[in-house]
Amino acid sequence: MGRGPFTSWTANQLTKLWLPPRLPPSSGIPTIAERRGTCRIVFSGGTGRQPPPPAPLASLALRRSARCLNRPVRPSYAEQEPPKPPSGRGRGKRKRDEEKLEPAAAQGAKSPGRKASNAEPGERKPKPVIAAVPISCAGVAPAAAEDDGMGAGKSAKLRVKETLRAFNSHYLHLVQEEQKRAQAALQEIEAKGGLKRQTKGSKKKGGKQEVEVEEKEKRPSKRPDLKAITKMQETNAVLYPEKRIGHLPGIDVGDQFYSRAEMVVLGIHSHWLNGIDYMGMKYQGKKGYENLTFPLATCIVMSGIYEDDLDKADEIIYTGQGGNDLLGNHRQIGSQQLKRGNLALKNSRDNGNPIRVIRGHSSKTSYTGKVYTYDGLYKVVDDWVQNGLQGHVVFKYKLKRLEGQPSLTTSEVRFTRAEAPTTISELPGLVCDDISGGQENLPIPATNLVDDPPVPPSGFTYLKSLQIIKSIKMLSNIIGCDCEGDCASNKNCSCAQRNGSDLPYVSYKNIGRLVEPKAVVFECGANCSCNHNCVNRTSQQGLQYRLEVFKTASKGWGVRTWDTILPGAPICEYTGVLRRTEDLDGLQNNYVFDIDCLQTMKGLDGREKRAGSEMHLPNLHPENDSEAPPAPEYCIDASSIGNFARFINHSCQPNLFVQCVLSSHNDVKLAKVTLFAADTILPLQELSYDYGYRLDSVVGPDGEIVKLPCHCGAPDCRKRLY
């Protein structure tokens, strides 16, 4: 079987081929209880055994002559371009789908245009009760299935994903800028150490204050998320810039956000601090709002700031805004006034319009320390004024949840969601305690609730590192950096210069995050003097998240996470046996991943270049300057040796992307293939990336085009894998 190229290295076209075939039926298989912890996988150490040659091609062949014709140009995961049908051959790995496609439905909806102002209202005049936007909560279709009419045929769910990716791209770039500025400030302060000591012993009162002021001015900003909001607003990238009542297309009940900034750029709650979002006087008299009283509340956030709040899940006693010291102790220090958000909530009771409710909860995985959950629509049914616990006047509002909505994921301010198991032994359908046999930092259990009797994944040797055949020589000829400790603290790091002056990663809680997909990432290697925990060795740190291999109903085996994974976080290297592609020509192999980094960097055969391609090519292996062949020279064969990456399935809306990485040499034809998170991936979500197959690129032995349906279930599913 032929192999496909890395087409365009983007989140929407990250490639792999075919899903794994179902395991053949067998007899005499022990029960789950007898088989637990004894899954039929051969575990390998650092060298592994040489796999047998793949079986001959039986029924399918790729049309090499047309593999890359008319390939579309796809955006990076931070960009927002409409999806296009794949027209280039898939990049390496092949697995086979097995059953029929269940197409995802799509419905339409409209979206308004410009952003609303927060103008204060004048005196309120009672109006007849009327809903500004018709809403039937009893039969509300999931917003993810709607087309909002803004994205040239995109589903609203995809536009939400693209908006969050754009925000996270801005955010990580700004984090990187702040870390550089902070490092420069610290170095400058250290250089003035003598001046500080002199000032400390000085009798002049103003001297010490001047140094303190200077240090305060150079203190790094802690709010790159707010700067990212500004970037999104400047580029008109906010998804719903104009305020609207009711559900927003693409945002479902239960969806979670990792900062208020994410909610702002989506438009579900348009202020990063205020708890009440409302439509100001600008909307009065507009079409559809003629009989409403403004200001009008659209959304509230409950995050435990006010001591007088009472949350009973379906019923809320909400305290108005104002009078709080905002210092985290929940205390009222002054009386509230009936204006802005407080007046908007009172008017919403008279108008009868639904209000979105979002609850905030503490979270160790969020960079803000909280995660926010959209819990659906409520209505204000009562309001009154009373003296709060501290004796100050507060406005109180009673809200009740509308019927006909999905069940709450929160209860009395206690955050609950699809819970990952706490211990492996408790897993339903457990067929293997650890498919890696202890090779990974964390065990990877396997479960099977599909087959009867259930069987574990089999037929391969687990190996967490790449195995290189003897005929391929891997050089280690790079002069490493001379940094001490972490390269992030050295502005003259030679490895940073190889990446274009900046390191490709930023560090978050001791785990590196890739700022953006690149043509190639240059990491520190064996010849570098920095420590092994250097941020520029991020992909070399091994498995950092709890994962599970599980049997799916229609896609063979898949992989899901038990932990929250943030955008840019490393998942794993794709491992197997490094081979020459010519050695596998004419053979059927379902797990081959072509290394076509060089072809992609040169834009050959219709491939889309990534940022940095032209800059890096002159610095790579001298052989790369010669005319590169259209087909990759090397590939990774995971048919009988590999890691859990061989089980990661395809999706037309993936949450992973592929990145080429170099560390010990400059030969990009032998680069490591690494998977990174493109989105925030929540517990129990399946990991996936786009195989990028070109439609009609596979033909049978009779010359007829073979069509394979796609089973990913994404709202923008292309319906066919090839």
Side-chain angles (χ1 to χ4, degrees), residues 452-528:
D452 187 17
V455 293
S458 61
F460 79 104
T461 299
Y462 197 99
L463 187 64
K464 71 178 244 182
S465 57
L466 194 65
Q467 184 182 80
I468 305 171
I469 60 176
K470 293 181 179 180
S471 61
I472 298 177
K473 302 299 181 183
M474 189 78 75
L475 301 177
S476 180
N477 54 2
I478 289 295
I479 299 176
C481 66
D482 57 359
C483 302
E484 296 181 2
D486 197 303
C487 291
S489 60
N490 186 356
K491 63 180 180 181
N492 298 317
C493 174
S494 60
C495 292
Q497 299 304 317
R498 295 177 68 202
N499 284 285
S501 76
D502 290 329
L503 293 176
Y505 301 104
V506 294
S507 181
Y508 173 76
K509 293 188 175 180
N510 298 321
I511 296 179
R513 295 173 63 185
L514 188 63
V515 174
E516 63 178 346
K518 294 178 175 290
V520 61
V521 164
F522 295 94
E523 289 193 343
C524 296
N527 297 331
C528 295

Side-chain angles (χ1 to χ4, degrees), residues 4 6 105 110 121 150-151 172 295 313 332 347 400 406 435 547 563 569 601 605 638 685 696 718:
F6 289 166
K110 295 294 181 180
M150 300 171 61
L172 289 175
Q332 285 290 128
N347 289 343
K400 285 191 174 182
I435 68 168
L547 302 177
D563 297 319
M601 292 177 72
D605 234 347
Q685 284 188 355
D696 300 332
R718 297 189 291 264

Side-chain angles (χ1 to χ4, degrees), residues 18-33:
W18 296 12
L19 298 172
R22 285 185 181 274
L23 294 172
S26 57
S27 59
I29 298 177
T31 64
I32 295 178

Side-chain angles (χ1 to χ4, degrees), residues 190-203:
E190 290 175 0
K192 296 180 179 179
L195 174 62
K196 290 186 199 177
R197 288 190 293 271
Q198 181 181 355
T199 305
K200 184 175 181 180
S202 175
K203 295 182 180 180

Side-chain angles (χ1 to χ4, degrees), residues 323-343:
N324 189 278
D325 61 7
L326 301 179
L327 297 178
N329 56 22
H330 305 181
R331 294 176 63 87
Q332 285 290 128
I333 59 174
S335 295
Q336 297 178 349
Q337 300 179 13
L338 188 60
K339 61 180 183 180
R340 298 189 179 91
N342 295 337
L343 182 56

Side-chain angles (χ1 to χ4, degrees), residues 654-665:
N655 50 27
L656 304 180
F657 67 91
V658 178
Q659 178 64 59
C660 206
V661 177
L662 292 174
S663 57
S664 60
H665 61 83

Side-chain angles (χ1 to χ4, degrees), residues 628-650:
E633 184 176 349
Y634 299 98
C635 63
I636 301 170
D637 173 13
S639 58
S640 55
I641 288 181
N643 63 354
F644 67 87
R646 72 196 299 276
F647 296 119
I648 298 178
N649 282 319
H650 160 84

